[in-house]
Amino acid sequence: MKKGIVGVLLLYLMLFDVSNRAWAQSDDSDLYIFGFSQVLLNSKSIEFEIFPGNGIPSPLKMNSKANSFALHQVNLFFQKAINDQTTFFLNIEASGSYSSKTPSGNLEIPEGWISFKLNDHLELKTGLLLPRFNNLTEINNRLPLLPYLIRPLMYESLLSNLVSSEDYRPKNAYIQLTGIRDITTNYSFDYAFYIGNAEDSFLSSVQAGDVEDTEEAATLYLGENLNTALLYGSRFGIENTYQTFKVGISLTYDEENRKKPINSFFRLPALTTPIMGEIPRYRVGLDFSFSIRNFSFESEYMGVFHDHRKVREIPAFRNANLNKKFYYTNLTYTFENDLYVFGFFSRNRDQTYEFVAPGSPSNAGLSALSGGGGWRINDVTVLKIQYLTSLARQNNYLDYSIRFLTIGISTIF
Amino acid sequence: MTYLFLHIISILLFLGNTSNELTNSPSEPIVIIVNESIEIDQIDINELIDIYTLSKQRWDDNTRIRVADYKGSQDIRDTFYNALHTTPNNIKKIWLRAQFTGRSIPPIVVDSVDEMWKVVLENPGTIGYVPFNQVPVNAKILLQIDG
């Protein structure tokens, strides 16, 4: 254990040294390489109880505790100005102490795009990119920009097995047009329009000799979008010069994949939705943030609405309702000496399972309450500590509570 | 477990106590200096705000603007950003967001006034600031801000 701590500290001492040099690159045509990492030590306590009558004769209880180090996330960015109007950007991300040998964690390229500056107010991006949806989607994996270690449920990759975040917000896009216009000396109006693939579950996972359905049999490559419908989205916002006031509304249209039985909440056998096909889906996002003196307030709402008309023509699905919502609010107070404290609350509710199992845990919702603080050790390093408790609201199926005590360091290099 | 957390915190507190301090009297004026290749002779405070918030990233001749700043918590930074009606931390948030989302290249960060002058002198398009009483002899000055 002691060797592990010493190793982590030595790694960070090396990163401190590298950071000073990395920021000194200066030529207009240089390839800029920079990034960040976040390492954490997490103490986890989970209590889980499934009530009897759901395929089990007596209550099933489980208590689990664990302490774990993790290289939470490392991102490496490459940026190069190809000419005055064109920029290339690449983001490589490893999370969860990635190792192909163990195996553990994930390695992915969440972004790889080229941007064309059409004029002073308009920019076109094409490639794999993070779309503008609310305030946090574009920066949710930029951990040094966030006061906390464990993000709100819809944004935290470590909790992705609890809820599919793509049910609530778009994950990526391939073409995005963004613009900005001054409306007063201190305020500007910004907008974005984007197009992308439908959700990841439509992407082909076909392997040679492992073809289960006709669509996958016709697949040309792994990851090919097997749906004709695409994602269309936009965001309209107003912010001030110093970004201490920001408000926006976001909208998307795509289709939800219900072509296979789905159980996205705690894998309870009784809570599986039947096959419904592709269901038109509208997401609405609202974000509002402001800073006054040493306080920073941030909040978001996501509402997911479906066009159920077609699916409700089937008698068995007459009461089907796949709508969902999520909201989150955070308050941070920064002291003069680079110390800060924060607290956030989030909640999501999903009505998807109600028509097959009234009183479902998803409809009751999952709430998270968190508090913590941080200290900016220097320009590139922040020490953070966080306590988080997450509870399943009262429902007919289970009781569930998670408690995390986490300490970690974000470093920019 | 609690002991382990406290142990790690104490080590990190020790490591963090290493920042450099560049002091500047709160009443000392600050001077905005630029690389001599830049074809303007003056700038107003609103343009300076646009530059340091990265809203303006090109000079009028289309040269890319390189913003230079001091490292750490130093009095001169507080004075400068106070004149721009903001704080070093807020500017840093704006820069990091711009950098990590590909909207801007990283700023040049320096330790001292001498290094600031060297960076401004050697890099076309670069803008920086120095205390009034340490302005280099050949510096191209765009603006003086009273402390």
Side-chain angles (χ1 to χ4, degrees), chain A residues 1-2 4-10 12-13 16 69 375 377 381 383 407 409, chain B residues 3-18:
Chain A
M1 189 70 169
K2 282 182 181 174
I5 295 170
V6 171
V8 171
L9 294 175
L10 283 175
Y12 271 91
L13 285 172
F16 293 167
F69 278 107
W375 176 47
I377 297 172
T381 312
L383 171 68
I407 182 171
I409 295 182
Chain B
Y3 174 77
L4 179 60
F5 273 113
L6 292 174
H7 190 64
I8 293 174
I9 289 170
S10 62
I11 292 171
L12 291 167
L13 288 171
F14 170 74
L15 286 174
N17 194 19
T18 56

Side-chain angles (χ1 to χ4, degrees), chain A residues 185-248:
Chain A
T185 311
N186 296 322
Y187 287 86
S188 60
F189 170 70
D190 61 84
Y191 53 91
F193 301 96
Y194 51 85
I195 304 174
N197 279 336
E199 63 181 53
D200 275 0
S201 63
F202 281 113
L203 303 184
S204 166
S205 57
V206 67
Q207 301 283 356
D210 183 25
V211 178
E212 293 180 356
D213 63 45
T214 51
E215 276 182 334
E216 292 210 342
T219 299
L220 297 178
Y221 56 90
L222 272 174
E224 181 183 359
N225 183 30
L226 297 179
N227 188 19
T228 53
L230 297 173
L231 163 79
Y232 303 92
S234 62
R235 181 182 181 276
F236 305 92
I238 293 172
E239 67 180 37
N240 67 359
T241 306
Y242 289 116
Q243 298 176 16
T244 50
F245 171 87
K246 197 178 283 190
V247 61

Side-chain angles (χ1 to χ4, degrees), chain B residues 85-127:
Chain B
H85 315 297
T86 187
T87 62
N89 273 340
N90 193 46
I91 284 292
K92 193 182 166 198
K93 275 188 208 168
I94 294 171
W95 287 357
L96 283 177
R97 181 165 182 142
Q99 180 186 341
F100 287 153
T101 52
R103 293 196 193 107
S104 171
I105 54 177
I108 302 172
V109 181
V110 300
D111 274 320
S112 63
V113 172
D114 287 345
E115 198 180 341
M116 174 68 81
W117 171 230
K118 189 167 179 281
V119 159
V120 170
L121 191 68
E122 293 177 354
N123 295 285
T126 302
I127 183 169

Side-chain angles (χ1 to χ4, degrees), chain A residues 1 5 9 13 20 23 25-28 32 34-36 41 43 67 77 79 81 84 89 113 125 132 135 138-139 142 144-145 241-244 246 296 338 375-380 383 385 405-407 409 412, chain B residues 1 4-5 7-9 11-13 15-19 46 49-50 53 55 58 62 64 66 70-73 77 84-86 89-94 96-97 99-109 123:
Chain A
M1 189 70 169
I5 295 170
L9 294 175
L13 285 172
N20 295 339
W23 281 48
Q25 301 164 106
S26 60
D27 192 281
D28 197 22
Y32 290 90
F34 49 93
F36 64 82
L41 171 59
S43 180
N67 300 321
F77 299 98
Q79 184 178 355
D84 288 349
F89 187 80
W113 48 258
K125 275 185 194 174
R132 302 286 295 274
N135 183 42
E138 191 184 42
I139 60 161
R142 270 64 168 171
L145 299 179
T241 306
Y242 289 116
Q243 298 176 16
T244 50
K246 197 178 283 190
S296 294
D338 286 332
W375 176 47
R376 295 184 184 91
I377 297 172
N378 55 40
D379 276 355
V380 294
L383 171 68
I385 188 164
L405 177 61
T406 312
I407 182 171
I409 295 182
I412 300 161
Chain B
M1 189 63 191
L4 179 60
F5 273 113
H7 190 64
I8 293 174
I9 289 170
I11 292 171
L12 291 167
L13 288 171
L15 286 174
N17 194 19
T18 56
S19 62
N46 287 327
I49 289 170
D50 284 345
T53 55
S55 300
R58 298 268 171 187
N62 212 32
R64 186 191 283 268
R66 291 307 312 273
Y70 296 95
K71 192 185 295 178
S73 40
R77 290 183 80 200
L84 267 54
H85 315 297
T86 187
N89 273 340
N90 193 46
I91 284 292
K92 193 182 166 198
K93 275 188 208 168
I94 294 171
L96 283 177
R97 181 165 182 142
Q99 180 186 341
F100 287 153
T101 52
R103 293 196 193 107
S104 171
I105 54 177
I108 302 172
V109 181
N123 295 285

Side-chain angles (χ1 to χ4, degrees), chain A residues 108-160:
Chain A
E108 66 171 316
I109 298 179
E111 292 165 275
W113 48 258
I114 191 164
S115 72
F116 306 93
K117 204 169 178 61
L118 303 177
N119 58 44
D120 286 347
H121 309 291
L122 209 55
E123 184 180 68
L124 180 69
K125 275 185 194 174
T126 181
L128 180 60
L129 53 94
L130 298 177
R132 302 286 295 274
F133 183 85
N134 280 355
N135 183 42
L136 270 181
T137 296
E138 191 184 42
I139 60 161
N140 85 86
N141 58 356
R142 270 64 168 171
L143 303 180
L145 299 179
L146 307 175
Y148 28 76
L149 291 155
I150 306 295
R151 290 160 282 186
L153 186 62
M154 287 311 137
Y155 295 101
E156 181 49 66
S157 56
L158 292 179
L159 303 176
S160 59

